[in-house]
Amino acid sequence: MAAVSMTMGKLIAGIIIAILAASAISVGASTMLAAGPQGPEGSQGDTGTQGPQGETGEAGETGARGATGATGPQGSTGPTGSQGPTGATGATGATGPQGPEGPQGPQGEQGVGFEPTGSISVSAAAFVASDSTANWRCSGVDLYHLETGGVHFYGAVQLPDGATVTNVTFHWIDLGGLNVQCQLKRHNLTMTLNMASMMSSGDTGTGSSYDDTIDFATVDNIQNTYYFDVLIPSGSYYFRYAIIEYEYPA
């Protein structure tokens, strides 16, 4: 039994030695197979022919925008272009306030046909009796009545506005010892004023009377009306017509 144990021990020892020997042989072989130092680089061979171009790859993403560069210098001004069409006229603006009144200009020359003086006549036919019951007559030329007492007759007068009355003449027939009276009057709706007064003279028949001392001579047709007041004393006296002369201020 002891002999068998010894033999087994020797066997195992031999196996171990064999394994170790094999390992040593393998290490040695590996050592022998390790590469030596690299030799010098040989010359480059000829370039081979270029192969066909490969397919274009997909476009990459757009990169971020770079910063704006500095503004360059301004270029020279180009030639002026042709004028465009005129635009439509705009609406008229509001009227501004009226400016102050300027100085009065010099008086212009007298117009052709202007007469600085004039006259009007008032005939017997323009009169009516103040008493509607009076027995009176008018032939168109002579005004008279058949009453025993005096009768007033009124005749309207149309004078040019702004004119100045210079004189009044009235024509009559006086066949008695009394007188025909004639007055030019102005009425302003509140009072009546005499402008001129005349009367016949004696019993000489046909004649005229004249007055150039005119009161309130300037005609104002806005504020006043004008008329004749004739008093005929009886049937022996006649009013024929009157003439008013006037002038315009210079």
Side-chain angles (χ1 to χ4, degrees):
M1 194 64 179
V4 173
S5 298
M6 186 179 294
T7 302
M8 288 296 292
K10 288 182 180 182
L11 178 60
I12 293 170
I15 292 170
I16 293 171
I17 292 170
I19 292 172
L20 291 173
S23 296
I25 293 170
S26 175
V27 169
S30 298
T31 300
M32 292 179 65
L33 293 175
Q38 183 173 343
E41 183 177 353
S43 59
Q44 183 173 342
D46 297 332
T47 302
T49 59
Q50 182 173 343
Q53 181 176 344
E55 296 179 1
T56 303
E58 295 180 358
E61 295 181 359
T62 303
R65 183 175 181 175
T68 303
T71 303
Q74 182 173 342
S76 58
T77 303
T80 302
S82 59
Q83 182 174 344
T86 304
T89 303
T92 303
T95 303
Q98 182 173 341
E101 182 177 353
Q104 181 173 341
Q107 181 173 342
E109 296 180 0
Q110 181 172 305
V112 176
F114 174 79
E115 294 293 339
T117 61
S119 62
I120 62 171
S121 62
V122 181
S123 73
F127 287 80
V128 294
S130 61
D131 183 357
S132 61
T133 64
N135 185 6
W136 61 283
R137 302 286 188 273
C138 179
S139 66
V141 176
D142 298 321
L143 176 68
Y144 62 100
H145 68 84
L146 305 177
E147 301 290 336
T148 57
V151 177
H152 283 272
F153 293 86
Y154 301 128
V157 174
Q158 300 295 329
L159 291 168
D161 190 56
T164 300
V165 176
T166 57
N167 62 79
V168 181
T169 303
F170 99 99
H171 295 258
W172 40 263
I173 298 176
D174 187 340
L175 301 176
L178 301 176
N179 297 313
V180 181
Q181 299 179 21
C182 178
Q183 294 177 320
L184 176 62
K185 294 188 175 184
R186 183 187 81 171
H187 181 67
N188 64 2
L189 303 183
T190 59
M191 66 177 65
T192 300
L193 300 171
N194 287 339
M195 296 174 63
S197 296
M198 297 146 290
M199 66 176 58
S200 64
S201 176
D203 57 359
T204 58
T206 302
S208 64
S209 299
Y210 175 86
D211 186 2
D212 60 359
T213 59
I214 311 300
D215 296 321
F216 316 106
T218 301
V219 178
D220 183 353
N221 288 327
I222 295 178
Q223 301 295 329
N224 306 288
T225 58
Y226 301 87
Y227 67 97
F228 275 116
D229 180 356
V230 174
L231 174 60
I232 300 178
S234 68
S236 297
Y237 305 89
Y238 301 79
F239 173 89
R240 308 201 76 184
Y241 63 95
I243 296 176
I244 303 173
E245 295 188 42
Y246 57 86
E247 64 183 9
Y248 289 102

